[in-house]
């Protein structure tokens, strides 16, 4: 997901009424789960994107 950052991906797991999404970042030494959420639409909410960006900044500043 280039809207969040480099090496970020989204995995979609469909259920009957909603789709679960897992947003992750793949680093050289770790896979960081940035967010897990359920949605009924195709668009990722702006609030989730903001949370993922903030968590990615926290991880990369360590």
């Amino acid at each position: 997901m280039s809207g969040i950052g480099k090496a970020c991906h989204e995995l979609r797991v469909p259920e009957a009424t909603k789709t679960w999404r897992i947003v992750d970042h793949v680093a050289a030494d770790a896979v960081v789960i940035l967010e897990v959420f359920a949605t009924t639409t195709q668009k990722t909410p702006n609030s989730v994107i903001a949370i993922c960006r903030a968590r990615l900044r926290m991880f990369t500043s360590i």
Side-chain angles (χ1 to χ4, degrees):
M1 294 190 67
S2 61
I4 295 173
K6 193 174 183 179
C8 290
H9 307 92
E10 179 183 68
L11 175 65
R12 294 180 182 196
V13 182
E15 272 191 346
T17 59
K18 58 188 163 192
T19 300
W20 287 94
R21 297 187 190 189
I22 303 167
V23 180
D24 65 81
H25 169 73
V26 180
D29 59 345
V31 175
V32 182
I33 305 300
L34 300 174
E35 181 68 294
V36 177
F37 63 101
T39 184
T40 56
T41 65
Q42 290 291 321
K43 187 172 191 246
T44 303
N46 290 333
S47 60
V48 171
I49 292 172
I51 289 168
C52 290
R53 284 180 183 160
R55 290 178 179 166
L56 182 59
R57 278 193 304 274
M58 285 191 305
F59 173 73
T60 56
S61 68
I62 293 174

